[in-house]
Amino acid sequence: VLLLVYVGYLGLGAGVLQALERPAEVQAAQHLLQQHWELLANHTCLQGPALQQLIEGIIQAYKSGITLQGNTTSLGRWDFSGSFFFSISAITTIGYGNLSPSTAAGRIFCIFFALFGIPLNLVLLNEIGQLMLLGVQHCACHLEEVFHGQKKASLLIKTCALVTGLLFFLLLPPLLFSDKEGWSYEEGFYYSFITLSTIGFGDYVIGMNPDRTYPGWYKNVISLWILFGMAWLALVIKFCINFLE
């Protein structure tokens, strides 16, 4: 029965996503094809195969973190700050997919780095989660004396912990992303949940816009936000698991 519910839930998600996203995909494909033919028609010196090769080269360069800016190229995804952010996205299993090692040595190192880093990350997240729970329980003990009732105190402190976590990890960060990335609040909220839940689609990633200048503290603060936010969301998901079970 549980397997049937699981498969049915996946089927429901697939059906809804197909209905919502398929028309936009078809429209984008038609627009791209139209631009392609208009470019060839307006610039007769261009050859179809040469243009296709250039497009593929640009796509491959973008995957490596290189973008064209006039007659120059932008670098910086593999500086220390960018590499540090890639490291945390690797061991937290977020894996945005917008950046990956391109050298054989880098790929081999990434395998061993993740092999030991993922368990280390899970241990740290567990410890942070336990500290959060201890803090909640400590506050609950004090409230029991005030309300003279364990159930009321427990419910109140759990509600406060949930609201505080929502505020600091999901509701406030989109305001920072709107300022630094130029995203809408909805896009920032979407990025926050997709990141902290370790889904990591990679359609939105911080610090990747070559037209913007980012402060040095930005990625470091976001790395800490990811670490503590994942621990908080893991507790919420654990509560949901217990409820479903």
Side-chain angles (χ1 to χ4, degrees):
V1 173
L2 182 60
L3 180 60
L4 288 176
V5 172
Y6 182 80
V7 174
Y9 190 76
L10 291 176
L12 174 66
V16 172
L17 287 171
Q18 182 182 15
L20 293 175
E21 298 295 331
R22 183 65 175 178
E25 180 190 31
V26 172
Q27 184 179 1
Q30 292 174 345
H31 181 65
L32 177 62
L33 191 60
Q34 181 181 356
Q35 285 184 314
H36 178 266
W37 289 117
E38 286 179 356
L39 184 63
L40 290 176
N42 295 331
H43 300 82
T44 55
C45 59
L46 289 175
Q47 298 296 322
L51 178 61
Q52 184 66 28
Q53 186 177 2
L54 175 62
I55 293 172
E56 291 174 357
I58 292 174
I59 294 173
Q60 188 60 40
Y62 181 78
K63 289 180 178 179
S64 301
I66 302 169
T67 57
L68 284 173
Q69 291 182 313
N71 294 324
T72 61
T73 55
S74 66
L75 299 174
R77 291 195 181 183
W78 285 114
D79 58 9
F80 185 80
S81 177
S83 300
F84 184 86
F85 191 73
F86 171 81
S87 298
I88 196 170
S89 70
I91 66 172
T92 55
T93 70
I94 295 173
Y96 290 113
N98 68 310
L99 189 63
S100 57
S102 59
T103 64
R107 291 167 183 162
I108 293 172
F109 172 77
C110 191
I111 292 172
F112 288 100
F113 180 75
L115 184 64
F116 293 98
I118 291 173
L120 176 63
N121 176 72
L122 291 175
V123 170
L124 179 61
L125 288 180
N126 183 61
E127 290 297 321
I128 293 175
Q130 292 300 321
L131 287 175
M132 288 181 175
L133 282 176
L134 284 175
V136 170
Q137 292 170 357
H138 183 69
C139 293
C141 290
H142 285 286
L143 286 176
E144 283 178 22
E145 300 175 359
V146 176
F147 289 96
H148 304 288
Q150 186 175 2
K151 290 185 177 180
K152 289 183 179 180
S154 178
L155 179 61
L156 180 62
I157 198 62
K158 286 180 179 179
T159 303
C160 290
L162 179 62
V163 171
T164 303
L166 280 172
L167 187 66
F168 282 100
F169 298 122
L170 288 178
L171 298 179
L172 288 180
L175 298 177
L176 177 63
F177 300 140
S178 297
D179 179 56
K180 300 302 179 184
E181 304 290 342
W183 299 341
S184 66
Y185 185 86
E186 176 271 327
E187 290 172 326
F189 184 84
Y190 167 79
Y191 166 79
S192 299
F193 181 79
I194 293 300
T195 294
L196 297 185
S197 60
T198 72
I199 296 173
F201 289 126
D203 48 352
Y204 289 92
V205 184
I206 59 109
M208 296 299 174
N209 191 341
D211 298 325
R212 288 183 172 268
T213 302
Y214 300 99
W217 53 264
Y218 183 51
K219 286 187 177 180
N220 296 328
V221 169
I222 298 303
S223 297
L224 289 175
W225 165 75
I226 288 174
L227 192 62
F228 286 92
M230 283 179 61
W232 171 79
L233 191 59
L235 293 177
V236 175
I237 292 174
K238 184 178 180 181
F239 172 79
C240 294
I241 290 173
N242 292 335
F243 176 77
L244 288 173
E245 287 181 340

